[in-house]
Structures are given as C-alpha cells and as structure tokens.
Amino acid sequence: MLVAFVFVGVVGTLGLLNTADVAWEQSSTFAALGALAALVTMVAAVVAIAVADRSNVAELGFVGNGLLSMSVLSAAHAAVTPEALYADNPAFAVAALLVLPAFVLSSLPMLLASTAFGRWGARRWRDWSIMSTFVAFVVAFALAGLPDAWPSLRPGGPVSIAVCAASCVAVLLFAWRFHRRSALSRSALSRPSLPGSLILVVGFVGLGVSALAPITNVFGAGFWGLRAVGFAAALTLAGCTVAIARRVAPTQAAFAPVLEVDPFLALDLAASPLVRRYLATETDGLASVGTADLALKVADRMKLSVDQRRRLGLAAVMHDVGKTLVPEEILTKPSSLSVEEFQLVQRHASDGAAMLAADVLLAPCAHIVRSHHERVDGAGYPDRLTGSSIPIEARIIAACDAFDAITHDREYRRGLPVGLSLAILNSNAGQQWDAEVVRHLMMVVADSNRAPSATEVELVVPDDLAELLVQIDCEI
C-alpha cells in the first residue's frame, strides 16, 4: 500500500507541475478518444454489474455501478470538448470535475459500510444502482444540452482543488478497504485467497490519481496522462470485479442467511483463511446453513440488534468448525460412542472457539461457538454455564441446531416429523434449552407452515428420548 501512495504522489506531482509549454491541443482527437474510452468503460461496467447481480455480491455491484456512472459523465465530458462539437464552454470543466464524484456518490454505501445507511444501501444495491445511474444520465444530458449554463471553473481554483482532493481521498479509502482485506487473506497463507483484491487496490489507486486531472493544464501532458491512467484503472476495476465475483460464489452460498443481515461481509468472508479451509473440508453440503437461517429468524422475533444477529449468523454457520479436528470415523459412527470418543467430540466447542479467536473477522463469535453446547440447567459443556450466563446467541444456536438435526435424516436413523421434533424441544425447555428461545422457535416454525397445527406439538415424545438426545448431542 505504501508503494501505491508513492505512485499517487509521483504521478500527481508530475501532472500538477506540467506547464502550458508542453501541450497537445487536439480537441477533436480528445473528443473521439474520450467518447471511445467512455463507451468501453460503460460496457465493462455493465458486464461487472451483471456478474455481481448473478452472484449477489453487493460490494462488487457498487464498484460496477460507480464505474457506470463515471463513464456516463466521461462521455458528457468528451461531448462538450471545446472546438469539437461545441465552442469554448464552461461545461467542459464542470464535467471533468464531476467524473470522480459520480463514482464516489454511486458507491457511497460501500464507503459507509459500517453505518445503518451503508447496510440499507447494500440490501437494496440494485435499486440504488438504477437511481444513481439515472441521476448520472440526467446530469450528463444537462451538461451536453446546456453547455453554457454552468459556472466557470478555473483548474487551479479553490472549488476545483477541494472537489479533486475530496474525490481522491474517497477513492483511496476504497483502496484501503480492499488492501486490508488482501492483507487479511495473506495473514495465514502464502497464497492469498483473493489475489484479485490486490489488483483492485491498484485500480482504485489509479482512479485516485486520475482525480487530479481537472486541476491540470487543459491538453497538457498531465491532462492526457491522468485521463489515460483513469481509463486503465476503470478497466482494471471492472475486470477484477468479474473475476472476484465468480470466486466468491461458494462463500455466498454458505453464508447466505448472514449476508441478508450484512451484505458487505461477503468479500471479507471469502478472504478469511479459516472460512476457506472450512468450506474446503466440509462434506455434508454445509447443513449448518439451515441452522443459521432458522436461528436468524428466531433472532428477528426476539428483536436482537444488528451486531448480535451478525455474530449469531457467523457463529451458526461456523459452530462446528472444531469438528474438523475430530476423526471422521468417530463423527459418523452409527453406534454409541465410548467415553473417550465422546470426550473427543466434546472438545469441538472449545477447539472451534480457539480457531475463531485466531481469525480477525470471526474472533467476536468465538465465545458463542464455545458455548453452543451449554445447557440452561448447567449440565452442558465445556464450562457448565447456566441460564442467562450462556450468551443468548449460543442459546438460540443450541435450540435451532437441535431442531434441524432431529428433523433431518442420518445414515443411521430417520428424521422425525416437525411436530414431534417441536414436542421434544418443548418437553426439555428450561432444562436443556432456553424456554423463551424454544417458544420463539415454535412460532417461527409455525409461521413458515412447517407445523400444520398447534395440536401437532402436543404429540407424546418417544420413550427412548434420553438416548435420542445423547445421539443428537453428538451430531450437533
């Protein structure tokens, strides 16, 4: 990243120090090349948006959307080139000044990802894209249709310098965001999980450099050079967006319920070495996705905060990561486990917590994973916690994971009907599972029409319930 900032300084300084003595005043050539570059960028941006839409990665959608809005303003800038289609006009300077702000404003939710506005925009990124593109076209048509109706701006004036500086800083913040993710993906592996993120950093830095173009001498060497850098950076961003969107697909599928809460987690999760290793070793199609989906619906009913739901969703998907250290023959053993084998299985809660604690992104979920086998009556493990001393997220995962396990088939047993499964949970509410959580879980299941009627929950639980619960405890 330091090299990138040095690059910004060198290229930007050369552009700003250029004098009018070195200039190539070819208005018609610039108009033609500018229009061609804008068209190419527009096509690349549309492809990037389409790929992001198919993979449903909001962050990449914002990058494509920013490039599209930027290319629309670039086309307007080329159209109003003095002595090409129009005489000398103030719209030329205004259009140049609006190119990078168009990118920043169209991608603004990504810049404010940690805020309520950012999360709102991420969940509705397609609507945001349509709206911002429409605004960009309106401004572009206004510039081209009324080229003399705009205030005159000097390249070195305070307005130009302020807008250019703000745009440059904003784009470099995008670069920092992807740099941080690339550093995360390399922290435990020699080969980064998302090498395209590094190239994205270079693309954003190049775009930041091009933000200085409006304050250079018109048609000087800096003017031409910075626009060339901007065009190359835009194509780089579009290409990387397409490449990364395809590689994020497995993570997107595994964490789909969590990404409904915070769509900006997709690339962070894809960059996590622990997540990648877990997805590579998981062989059951990530059954925990169903647990996560159910747990988040229960959390919605219980009015948990956004931060709590984010931690809950991540922990629900990753709660069995510690089982990757348990021999497969023990996990799939159809008969009862020996005392030593069961103790080995029980270690997965603490082992999983230790694994998550070593991951920057997942560390806040470590205590939840450690406690997801605790019981409200204190008979759980590994810490024998009771009642409200167990994190609420862990209590929700425990009940939802048990329900998911009871209702699904295994190689050595058939899944039980939904109503009977709820009856089993209800009969142990206040002992093994939190009574309030079970109550909300039953409501969620009823709302989803998985339980035909309330009377179904009143079914008599099986006589071998204790043995079944021990078996379930080994599975979840």
Side-chain angles (χ1 to χ4, degrees):
M1 194 62 180
L2 179 61
V3 174
F5 279 110
V6 171
F7 178 70
V8 171
V10 172
V11 177
T13 302
L14 289 177
L16 293 176
L17 291 179
N18 175 68
T19 66
D21 295 334
V22 182
W24 186 39
E25 298 187 16
Q26 296 290 328
S27 298
S28 57
T29 301
F30 176 77
L33 290 177
L36 178 61
L39 179 61
V40 172
T41 305
M42 199 177 298
V43 172
V46 170
V47 172
I49 292 173
V51 173
D53 176 65
R54 192 181 312 121
S55 58
N56 194 28
V57 182
E59 195 162 2
L60 298 180
F62 282 123
V63 175
N65 178 50
L67 293 175
L68 180 58
S69 296
M70 184 183 76
S71 65
V72 171
L73 269 297
S74 296
H77 182 229
V80 296
T81 303
E83 310 306 330
L85 299 177
Y86 299 94
D88 192 14
N89 61 83
F92 183 69
V94 174
L97 199 61
L98 293 179
V99 170
L100 258 295
F103 178 91
V104 173
L105 293 176
S106 296
S107 309
L108 191 59
M110 183 170 69
L111 196 61
L112 304 174
S114 60
T115 67
F117 168 75
R119 290 189 293 268
W120 173 86
R123 287 191 293 269
R124 298 166 177 80
W125 73 268
R126 296 174 179 84
D127 296 332
W128 178 270
S129 298
I130 293 172
M131 180 185 68
S132 56
T133 302
F134 174 76
V135 172
F137 271 105
V138 169
V139 174
F141 280 118
L143 288 165
L146 301 169
D148 297 314
W150 304 85
S152 297
L153 295 174
R154 291 188 300 106
V159 174
S160 298
I161 292 176
V163 173
C164 289
S167 300
C168 183
V169 170
V171 174
L172 291 180
L173 287 175
F174 287 125
W176 176 256
R177 178 177 176 85
F178 283 94
H179 166 71
R180 181 182 58 81
R181 181 176 293 120
S182 297
L184 174 66
S185 71
R186 296 194 308 274
S187 61
L189 298 171
S190 58
R191 181 175 178 270
S193 59
L194 287 176
S197 292
L198 290 172
I199 305 176
L200 269 177
V201 172
V202 176
F204 278 118
V205 170
L207 215 58
V209 169
S210 71
L212 304 175
I215 56 177
T216 59
N217 294 322
V218 177
F219 295 128
F223 177 90
W224 289 95
L226 291 177
R227 275 159 179 77
V229 168
F231 175 62
L235 292 186
T236 299
L237 290 175
C240 288
T241 296
V242 172
I244 292 176
R246 292 176 176 173
R247 297 190 62 180
V248 174
T251 306
Q252 183 77 18
F255 289 88
V258 192
L259 296 178
E260 287 294 321
V261 177
D262 189 351
F264 285 119
L265 283 173
L267 297 188
D268 288 322
L269 289 167
S272 167
L274 177 59
V275 169
R276 195 167 83 259
R277 288 201 302 270
Y278 183 47
L279 296 183
T281 57
E282 189 67 22
T283 58
D284 65 352
L286 274 175
S288 54
V289 177
T291 297
D293 182 54
L294 187 58
L296 286 169
K297 290 177 180 176
V298 172
D300 285 338
R301 285 196 65 94
M302 298 184 71
K303 310 294 186 188
L304 266 62
S305 69
V306 172
D307 288 339
Q308 285 179 306
R309 283 184 283 140
R310 183 192 299 111
R311 291 194 298 268
L312 167 64
L314 292 173
V317 175
M318 299 293 294
H319 71 274
D320 275 342
V321 66
K323 286 187 176 179
T324 58
L325 304 179
V326 180
E328 184 67 22
E329 59 269 19
I330 294 179
L331 295 176
T332 58
K333 185 177 180 180
S335 57
S336 299
L337 300 179
S338 66
V339 174
E340 293 77 13
E341 289 172 333
F342 188 54
Q343 289 176 343
L344 189 59
V345 171
Q346 286 181 317
R347 286 182 52 184
H348 83 274
S350 55
D351 287 344
M355 295 166 74
L356 265 62
D359 187 283
V360 175
L361 177 65
L362 300 172
C365 311
H367 69 291
I368 301 172
V369 169
R370 181 178 180 86
S371 301
H372 79 277
H373 270 283
E374 300 288 357
R375 294 171 47 128
V376 293
D377 61 2
Y381 61 86
D383 301 312
R384 302 287 179 177
L385 301 179
T386 61
S388 60
S389 62
I390 305 171
I392 182 60
E393 300 94 338
R395 283 176 272 158
I396 293 174
I397 292 174
C400 294
D401 200 22
F403 174 79
D404 196 63
I406 294 171
T407 54
H408 283 82
D409 292 342
R410 295 291 186 265
E411 294 180 1
Y412 44 85
R413 67 169 179 83
R414 296 293 303 275
L416 299 182
V418 168
L420 181 55
S421 301
L422 290 176
I424 292 173
L425 263 68
N426 194 41
S427 67
N428 282 269
Q431 300 174 44
Q432 183 164 354
W433 299 290
D434 184 281
E436 186 70 6
V437 170
V438 171
R439 183 174 69 85
H440 285 285
L441 171 59
M442 293 170 65
M443 293 178 182
V444 168
V445 173
D447 290 344
S448 63
N449 296 319
R450 294 172 69 176
S453 66
T455 57
E456 191 177 3
V457 181
E458 302 300 327
L459 293 171
V460 177
V461 299
D463 294 333
D464 59 347
L465 176 60
E467 181 180 343
L468 174 64
L469 292 180
V470 171
Q471 193 175 51
I472 295 298
D473 193 51
C474 294
E475 295 174 7
I476 62 178

